């Protein structure tokens, strides 16, 4: 966690984004680290966890981070938490929670609570048959059975 805090401090010092740092460890070795670079990159997806996942995937030459643990200064936002799940990271260690994050002006808690309602409000299915055909083509190309 000390390395994650150092990562966050670097981002703060350089005015790159919020106070969020993350480190990914596998078998006792650091395989990825990162800090929030939203401001630096002008990209809302450049959270500390995302940057650490990118580096770990490059280091391990794999999209599967099974066997890894992530240390992060703040409880992962919904985007980062889902990325952690997609990457198959085994364990999450965090410092501050969403209440702490809200106090300093970040909306993590709001997003976490509003996702189900937002899904209903802004998501609309279109061209289902055409997209389903695309999925079927992919499944066939992978030798998988389809619907």
């Amino acid at each position: 966690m000390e390395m994650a805090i150092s990562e966050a401090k670097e981002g703060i010092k350089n005015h790159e984004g919020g106070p969020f740092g993350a480190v990914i460890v596998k078998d006792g070795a650091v395989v990825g680290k990162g800090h929030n670079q939203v401001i630096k990159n002008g990209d809302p997806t450049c959270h500390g966890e995302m940057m650490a996942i990118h580096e770990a995937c490059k280091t391990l030459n794999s999209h599967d981070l099974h066997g890894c643990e992530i240390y992060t200064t703040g409880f992962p936002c919904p985007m980062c938490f889902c990325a952690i799940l997609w990457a198959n990271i085994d364990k999450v260690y965090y410092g501050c929670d969403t209440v702490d994050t809200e106090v300093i002006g970040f909306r993590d808690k709001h997003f976490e609570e509003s996702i189900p309602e937002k899904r209903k409000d802004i998501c609309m299915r279109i061209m289902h048959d055409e997209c389903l055909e695309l999925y079927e083509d992919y499944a066939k190309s992978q030798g998988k059975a389809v619907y």
Side-chain angles (χ1 to χ4, degrees):
M1 183 61 87
E2 290 173 359
M3 289 180 75
I5 292 169
S6 291
E7 276 292 318
K9 286 181 178 180
E10 181 180 333
I12 292 168
K13 180 182 78 175
N14 295 325
H15 307 287
E16 295 177 339
F20 308 108
V23 174
I24 298 176
V25 175
K26 183 170 186 171
D27 300 325
V30 173
V31 295
K33 59 185 180 174
H35 58 269
N36 187 294
Q37 296 181 33
V38 168
I39 303 301
K40 175 185 176 186
N41 293 332
D43 180 342
T45 67
C46 291
H47 290 194
E49 296 93 337
M50 301 297 276
M51 305 308 284
I53 289 170
H54 291 162
E55 187 173 290
C57 289
K58 286 180 185 175
T59 299
L60 297 174
N61 195 32
S62 176
H63 66 279
D64 186 353
L65 301 181
H66 179 77
C68 292
E69 300 174 329
I70 188 167
Y71 295 80
T72 180
T73 57
F75 188 82
C77 74
M79 174 185 68
C80 292
F81 189 74
C82 286
I84 288 165
L85 294 177
W86 276 109
N88 297 314
I89 293 174
D90 294 347
K91 195 78 164 174
V92 177
Y93 298 97
Y94 66 94
C96 294
D97 63 20
T98 58
V99 173
D100 301 319
T101 305
E102 185 176 43
V103 168
I104 61 168
F106 289 85
R107 303 176 291 165
D108 299 48
K109 186 174 180 230
H110 166 76
F111 287 132
E112 205 168 80
E113 293 170 349
S114 68
I115 286 174
E117 197 60 40
K118 279 290 184 188
R119 278 185 158 175
K120 293 179 205 170
D121 290 347
I122 68 172
C123 295
M124 175 75 65
R125 179 188 269 182
I126 63 170
M127 296 184 73
H128 180 243
D129 291 338
E130 294 84 351
C131 293
L132 191 57
E133 185 178 323
L134 175 69
Y135 279 27
E136 290 169 354
D137 290 346
Y138 171 78
K140 287 176 190 172
S141 76
Q142 302 300 307
K144 297 179 181 178
V146 293
Y147 306 95

